[in-house]
Amino acid sequence: MKAAVLHEAGGIPRYEDFPDPVAGDGEVIIDVKAVAVENVDKAIAAGTHYAGEKYLGRFPVIPAFDGIGALPDGTLVGFGDIRLPYGALAEKAVVSQGSYVPIPDDVDPAVATVMASAITAMSMKAAAGFVPGETVLVQGATGVAGRLAVKVARLLGAGRIVATGRDDDQLREVQDIGADTVINTAVSDEALAQAYLDAKGDGGYDVVVDYLWGRPSEILLRALVPRSFAFGKPTRVVQIGESAGSELALAASSLRTSGVEIYGAAKGLDPQTMEEVYQQIVTWTRSGELTFDVEKVPLSDIETAWQRTDLKGRRLVVTP
């Protein structure tokens, strides 16, 4: 079969022949239809992600570890738990029985690859208990997941949406899809802190969906500390990504008097909640209320596609 083959950590996957997978006991062969290439896939391939050691134990290996494909009987599924050295960026993958879930036939496989990002955005409700009318701050709104979070917040009935990013042109696009106010984080610390204060208005931020962490979130948490003995309004922060840094300095006062509560994105998730969230995303997708920006490329172009930096809010989706 043809596959994107990685020969060394930090290398670029190449379009090459690779031995067909053979299913063992309790395994099934997936006919791959679409695979989203995300930052985590590139980080693992580069050896900079904490999971890299597991996935790069031997070479050659095929990157990406989930996707959309068809079972031998033609059923369309989202799959994961691929047996290494096989990965998703190939014509076929081999996975454990049951390591897949059905995908509606009327949903484009390329779109289905991005639905997981919308499901993550729903953590503003599952983890933070968002209710209609609240103000949502999306930290890192110009990326694929951040833009979906803006759309999801609007669909859930946010009263006001504030969005951050580093590019003014992309921030204008984010306003077009639903943000009321935008903040450019590529400014001095003092200017950014003031921007957070100006944008929160009298009502403050109820929920923060954070794809950044690092410097912007550290400045935000400092900015939310009350300037008087008055207690701050509760602000529920959902930590999802770390594109601006994996660590930050958290002052005691940022928690003691600010009213800030910090949750991980997985808080509140269980099989029932996941099913409810998934069905809501499917409903919005089918109705056209929730749209996904994807850039489809053939597997044969993987070497060029892997190095692209011009996607600007579109998800790269590879189709064998």
Side-chain angles (χ1 to χ4, degrees):
M1 69 175 181
K2 291 295 186 180
V5 183
L6 186 69
H7 290 271
E8 61 181 355
I12 304 299
R14 301 199 296 261
Y15 183 65
E16 297 178 351
D17 290 319
F18 201 84
D20 287 350
V22 177
D25 292 341
E27 294 181 330
V28 64
I29 301 297
I30 300 286
D31 183 15
V32 180
K33 300 297 184 184
V35 178
V37 176
E38 304 187 37
N39 290 335
V40 65
D41 298 308
K42 293 184 177 182
I44 289 174
T48 59
H49 192 274
Y50 66 84
E53 184 175 349
K54 171 185 176 182
Y55 291 108
L56 303 182
R58 62 170 173 155
F59 293 99
V61 65
I62 300 172
F65 307 102
D66 56 66
I68 307 298
L71 297 176
D73 65 2
T75 300
L76 193 66
V77 296
F79 65 88
D81 192 25
I82 304 172
R83 177 177 23 105
L84 298 174
Y86 296 96
L89 286 173
E91 293 177 326
K92 298 181 183 298
V94 56
V95 306
S96 301
Q97 286 280 1
S99 295
Y100 44 81
V101 294
I103 298 295
D105 291 333
D106 56 351
V107 174
D108 181 347
V111 167
T113 65
V114 196
M115 288 173 62
S117 294
I119 290 171
T120 301
M122 286 288 282
S123 63
M124 69 181 73
K125 181 176 181 180
F130 168 88
V131 296
E134 290 190 316
T135 295
V136 176
L137 169 62
V138 180
Q139 286 271 71
T142 57
V144 175
R147 291 180 189 228
L148 284 171
V150 170
K151 294 178 181 181
V152 166
R154 186 58 69 202
L155 287 168
L156 286 173
R160 198 164 68 92
I161 301 171
V162 180
T164 71
R166 295 177 56 85
D167 183 285
D168 285 332
D169 290 336
Q170 292 190 60
L171 285 170
R172 281 189 284 271
E173 293 177 4
V174 171
Q175 283 187 293
D176 290 340
I177 63 174
D180 298 291
T181 303
V182 295
I183 296 172
N184 191 321
T185 60
V187 295
S188 69
D189 291 2
E190 295 76 13
L192 181 55
Q194 188 60 51
Y196 283 132
L197 291 173
D198 292 343
K200 75 183 182 69
D202 295 334
Y205 304 114
D206 297 296
V207 175
V208 179
V209 184
D210 195 315
Y211 295 93
L212 296 180
W213 212 236
R215 170 186 172 267
S217 297
E218 181 174 323
I219 294 171
L220 170 67
L221 292 172
R222 287 205 307 265
L224 292 178
V225 176
R227 299 299 188 263
S228 68
F229 287 110
F231 289 103
K233 178 181 178 180
T235 300
R236 291 106 67 198
V237 179
V238 184
Q239 206 294 310
I240 300 175
E242 51 185 70
S243 62
S246 61
E247 298 179 354
L248 54 72
L250 182 62
S253 58
S254 292
L255 294 180
R256 185 172 59 242
T257 60
S258 66
V260 166
E261 303 169 1
I262 301 177
Y263 311 119
K267 178 182 179 292
L269 291 182
D270 56 35
Q272 179 180 343
T273 305
M274 279 295 297
E275 178 63 19
E276 292 171 355
V277 166
Y278 173 70
Q279 291 302 329
Q280 179 63 80
I281 297 301
V282 169
T283 297
W284 283 333
T285 302
R286 282 173 164 163
S287 69
E289 294 173 279
L290 183 61
T291 57
F292 300 80
D293 298 318
V294 300
E295 181 83 2
K296 295 183 186 180
V297 299
L299 180 62
S300 57
D301 289 346
I302 186 60
E303 190 168 348
T304 299
W306 188 267
Q307 301 175 78
R308 287 184 61 173
T309 59
D310 62 337
L311 295 170
K312 297 187 183 301
R314 303 189 306 279
R315 177 70 77 211
L316 179 67
V317 177
V318 176
T319 56

